[in-house]
Amino acid sequence: MEEKYLELARSVPREDRPVSKNKLSGLGNFFGLYGGEHIAATEFVIGATMVTWGVTTREIIVGLLIGNLLATLTYAFLCAPIAVDTRKTLYSYLREVLGPYMQKIYNVVWGLASIAMASSMLNVSASALRVIFGITPQLEWYPTSFKFILLVLLLGVIVTIVAANGFEAVAKFSAICVPWMIAIFFAGAMISLPVLAAQTGYGEINSLKDFLNIADASIWTGSAVGGGERLGTIHVIGFAWMCNLAYHGGLNDMSLLRFAKRSSYGFVTGYGMYIGHFFAWISAGVMGATAANVLGQSLSVLDSGAVMSTIFGLTGLLAVVVAGWTTANPNIYRAALSFGTFFPKTSIKKVSYIVGIVTTLIAMFPIVANIMVIVNVIVLVVPTIGAIVLAEHWILPKLGGTRYWSKYKGWKINYAGLIAWGISLMFVITVSATGLIHSYLLFLPNYLLAMGSYIFLALRMGAREDYAEQVEEDKKLSEAIDIINDEENPVNDSETQTLPGLIKGIKWISYLFLIILIVLSIFTFNGNYSVESMKATSIWLTLLYFIFGGFPTIYKFRLKNKNKLTENLERQIE
C-alpha cells in the first residue's frame, strides 16, 4: 500500500471510518437495544392515544400485526444491509452521497429531531415522578416549579452519562431494563382487566371471547373520543409502519446496525416491534382505559404518570421513568453522532455530554412532552433522505450509474438529491394542506416519490458518466483505511470475558424476581391476590431485580474496560 493513501487514511476522522472488526457486536446487545428503545415511554402515550382513535379491537390487533411486520421487514431489507455494507453512520455516509453542505443541513435537522425526542422522554419521566415529590402539574409551556427543574436535571445527568459511554453502554443499560419492562406491561394488563370489568359491570373474564367483548365495549369501542375522525385498520397499519420510518426507511439506525456482524441482525428489530409496538401498545390501551374509568376522567387529559400510578402505584411511576431513559439514551447517542460531523477533532464522548446538557435544558419545558407532534414531523421530513441514499447505493449501479458520482464531479451539494428532497417536502405540504391523504398514510407515496425523483434526476445530471479513475482512487483509500483500522484496533480473541459462577448465579436469581412478579399478577387477575398487595409487593421485586440484574452487567462492563486500559498501557510501554 502506497504511503500517501495511508496518510490520507490516518487523516480521516474515526467517526467517518467504517467500524473496525473488533467493534462488531453480538445478537444480545441488539435484543437489549431494540427492546429497550421500543418498549419505552412513548408506548404509554401512543398505546393510550390509540384508544381515542375510535378503532375496534379487531382493527387494532390486525393493524398492528401487519404494520409492525412491514416495519421489521424495512429494517431487515433496507436499513441493515446498507449499514453492514458500509459500516458507517448515515451522518457520515451522507458526505459521500449528498456532499458536505447537504450533509450538514441534514445532520442539523436530524440532530435537533433526536434532541427533541430525547427531551420529550425526559420530560415524560419527570412528569411521572412529580406526584412523589409534591410537584404541581406543569400545564404551561414553561416550567413553573423549581423542584421539577431539579428532577429533570437529575434524570438528564443519568441518561447523558450512559449515552456518552457509547453504543455498548447504551445497549447494556437497555438489556437490564427490557425484561423488567416486558413483565411490567404484562402485569399491568393482568391487574387492569379485572378492575375494568368490575368498574363497567361486565363480570369475570374467563376466555379470549370475554376479553374481546370487554375490549370492544370499554377500550377500543369503535367511537372516536370527542367526536373526532374514526380511524380504521389501514390507518393503524400505516401508523405502526411509519412510527419508526426515520430509523429504518430513513436509515438513521445505520448508526446502530453498523455494529451488526451480519445484515440478518435486522430481523432482531421484530423483537422491539412486536413486544413494544404490539404487546406494549395493547397493554397500555388496557391500562389507560382502566385508569380513565377508575378516575372518572377522559383518557385524553391523563398523562402516562397518572395512568401508571393508578394501575401500579410506585412501580408504575418507575416504569414510566425507566422507559423514558431507554428511549432518551439512544437518541442522545444519535444526536451526538450527527453533530459530531461538525467537530471532527472532538471526541463523540465530549459531544454526547454537550448534547446531553442541551437535551436536559430543553426537557425542563413541558411543551416538549407532545410526542405525537414530534413523531409526525420527523416521519414526514426526515425519511426521504433515506430513500435517496438507498437509490444511490443499490439502484443507480444497476442502471449504469456510479455511486458518489456527485462527489467525483466535485460538487459540494448533490443537486439531484437536493431537488428530490425539495420535491418530497412540497408534496407533503401540498397534500397535508388539501387533506387528500391521511397523515398516517402519506409517508409511503412521499418516500417513493423522493426515490423516483432522485433516480430520474441523477441519471440525467451525470451519474452515468465515466468515473473509473476516481472509483479506483476511492478503492485504494478504503483499503488503506481498513489497514489503519486494523493497526489501531487489533482484534483480541481473548476479549470475551467469562463471568465467575457466582456472578452468573446472581444474574439468574434476578430473573426469579420477574417470574414471581408475573405469577403474582396472574393471581391478581384470578382474584387470589389483591391489587393493593400487588402494588406494594411489586416495588420490592423491582428493586431486587435491578440490584441482582445490574450488578453482573456492571461487573462485566468494568472488567472489559479495565482490560482495555491495561492493553493500551502495554502498547504505550512497547
Side-chain angles (χ1 to χ4, degrees):
M1 176 61 62
E2 295 180 41
E3 185 60 34
K4 71 171 183 178
Y5 293 110
L6 293 174
E7 285 301 316
L8 281 173
R10 291 189 184 95
S11 67
V12 176
R14 288 180 181 273
E15 288 303 321
D16 283 339
R17 302 178 195 172
V19 172
S20 58
K21 294 175 183 177
N22 74 327
K23 298 291 185 180
L24 301 187
S25 188
L27 275 173
N29 279 343
F30 289 95
F31 273 108
L33 194 62
Y34 280 103
E37 185 171 7
H38 300 297
I39 306 170
T42 50
E43 275 53 87
F44 295 111
V45 178
I46 295 172
T49 301
M50 285 181 165
V51 174
T52 68
W53 286 358
V55 294
T56 66
T57 305
R58 288 164 182 79
E59 286 173 337
I60 198 81
I61 291 174
V62 172
L64 291 181
L65 283 173
I66 297 173
N68 285 309
L69 174 62
L70 293 172
T72 301
L73 294 177
T74 307
Y75 267 118
F77 293 121
L78 295 186
C79 188
I82 192 171
V84 171
D85 193 51
T86 64
R87 296 291 181 196
K88 291 184 176 183
T89 65
L90 175 66
Y91 325 118
S92 170
Y93 195 51
L94 284 177
R95 186 179 185 88
E96 305 289 317
V97 177
L98 297 178
Y101 293 166
M102 195 167 174
Q103 175 203 32
K104 286 179 170 56
I105 293 171
Y106 176 84
N107 285 358
V108 168
V109 172
W110 178 247
L112 292 175
S114 295
I115 287 175
M117 184 70 75
S119 298
S120 178
M121 293 300 94
L122 284 178
N123 187 276
V124 169
S125 296
S127 297
L129 290 176
R130 65 174 178 76
V131 177
I132 298 175
F133 297 99
I135 300 172
T136 57
Q138 301 296 290
L139 303 177
E140 303 293 338
W141 67 268
Y142 54 87
T144 57
S145 167
F146 183 67
K147 286 195 290 186
F148 181 80
I149 292 174
L150 291 178
L151 185 56
V152 173
L153 182 62
L154 174 63
L155 297 177
V157 167
I158 294 171
V159 297
T160 299
I161 290 173
V162 173
N165 279 280
F167 172 83
E168 188 168 359
V170 172
K172 294 299 183 187
F173 183 86
S174 296
I176 298 172
C177 299
V178 169
W180 178 75
M181 288 299 303
I182 295 173
I184 289 298
F185 273 105
F186 176 83
M190 289 291 100
I191 296 170
S192 298
L193 283 171
V195 174
L196 182 62
Q199 286 283 322
T200 56
Y202 182 84
E204 294 185 355
I205 302 172
N206 297 314
S207 65
L208 177 60
K209 182 179 180 181
D210 286 335
F211 167 73
L212 294 175
N213 287 338
I214 193 173
D216 281 334
S218 304
I219 306 174
W220 302 285
T221 63
S223 299
V225 173
E229 178 189 3
R230 193 187 100 75
L231 305 184
T233 304
I234 189 66
H235 300 97
V236 178
I237 292 172
F239 181 82
W241 190 8
M242 74 140 199
C243 190
N244 282 107
L245 188 70
Y247 304 111
H248 49 68
L251 302 184
N252 280 284
D253 267 7
M254 284 175 66
S255 62
L256 306 180
L257 288 167
R258 64 184 170 142
F259 293 99
K261 293 179 179 178
R262 291 175 290 277
S263 63
S264 58
Y265 282 23
F267 286 103
V268 173
T269 58
Y271 174 68
M273 295 298 100
Y274 280 100
I275 300 296
H277 293 185
F278 178 76
F279 168 71
W281 282 355
I282 288 176
S283 296
V286 172
M287 290 186 282
T290 302
N293 269 277
V294 170
L295 297 173
Q297 295 180 280
S298 171
L299 185 54
S300 61
V301 301
L302 297 177
D303 61 23
S304 54
V307 170
M308 289 304 293
S309 62
T310 301
I311 300 301
F312 229 138
L314 186 58
T315 306
L317 295 178
L318 184 60
V320 178
V321 173
V322 172
W325 284 346
T326 56
T327 302
N329 281 331
N331 275 291
I332 290 175
Y333 176 65
R334 291 188 186 101
L337 291 173
S338 181
F339 286 118
T341 59
F342 291 88
F343 310 102
K345 295 182 179 180
T346 305
S347 71
I348 290 300
K349 189 168 188 174
K350 290 181 180 178
V351 177
S352 296
Y353 280 122
I354 295 171
V355 168
I357 292 170
V358 174
T359 298
T360 303
L361 291 174
I362 294 174
M364 295 174 183
F365 293 82
I367 193 172
V368 302
N370 194 339
I371 185 64
M372 297 305 294
V373 172
I374 297 171
V375 168
N376 288 336
V377 169
I378 292 173
V379 165
L380 294 177
V381 173
V382 170
T384 48
I385 287 295
I388 292 169
V389 172
L390 285 170
E392 173 93 1
H393 192 85
W394 299 119
I395 301 176
L396 278 187
K398 295 182 183 300
L399 299 176
T402 301
R403 289 177 188 167
Y404 324 138
W405 61 276
S406 63
K407 181 183 77 169
Y408 298 151
K409 289 179 76 70
W411 293 357
K412 297 297 183 181
I413 293 180
N414 183 329
Y415 296 106
L418 182 62
I419 295 171
W421 199 23
I423 290 172
S424 73
L425 292 179
M426 290 304 299
F427 176 76
V428 167
I429 293 171
T430 302
V431 174
S432 297
T434 58
L436 293 175
I437 303 175
H438 194 279
S439 61
Y440 294 166
L441 306 175
L442 179 55
F443 71 92
L444 185 57
N446 185 46
Y447 194 85
L448 296 175
L449 174 64
M451 182 176 284
S453 299
Y454 179 71
I455 293 170
F456 176 83
L457 292 168
L459 292 176
R460 282 155 182 76
M461 296 175 74
R464 280 198 177 119
E465 294 176 13
D466 183 12
Y467 302 103
E469 184 178 340
Q470 294 95 323
V471 169
E472 185 61 27
E473 289 288 306
D474 253 7
K475 183 180 178 181
K476 291 179 179 177
L477 177 59
S478 295
E479 291 173 354
I481 289 175
D482 288 339
I483 292 172
I484 297 301
N485 270 347
D486 289 342
E487 288 178 358
E488 295 180 356
N489 304 283
V491 176
N492 185 358
D493 294 331
S494 64
E495 192 173 79
T496 300
Q497 300 295 329
T498 301
L499 292 178
L502 177 62
I503 303 297
K504 287 183 178 179
I506 292 174
K507 184 72 175 178
W508 283 108
I509 289 173
S510 71
Y511 295 126
L512 177 62
F513 298 119
L514 293 188
I515 293 172
I516 295 173
L517 179 66
I518 291 171
V519 170
L520 289 179
S521 72
I522 295 173
F523 285 168
T524 306
F525 175 80
N526 292 330
N528 298 319
Y529 198 67
S530 72
V531 172
E532 291 306 314
S533 295
M534 182 65 195
K535 289 180 180 179
T537 306
S538 63
I539 188 63
W540 292 108
L541 291 172
T542 291
L543 293 175
L544 288 170
Y545 166 75
F546 278 109
I547 291 170
F548 279 78
F551 178 74
T553 301
I554 295 171
Y555 177 89
K556 185 176 181 179
F557 188 74
R558 292 187 67 180
L559 182 62
K560 187 173 183 179
N561 286 339
K562 181 180 178 181
N563 289 339
K564 284 183 178 178
L565 179 61
T566 302
E567 289 171 9
N568 290 335
L569 288 173
E570 289 174 350
R571 283 180 203 155
Q572 290 176 13
I573 293 172
E574 292 173 359

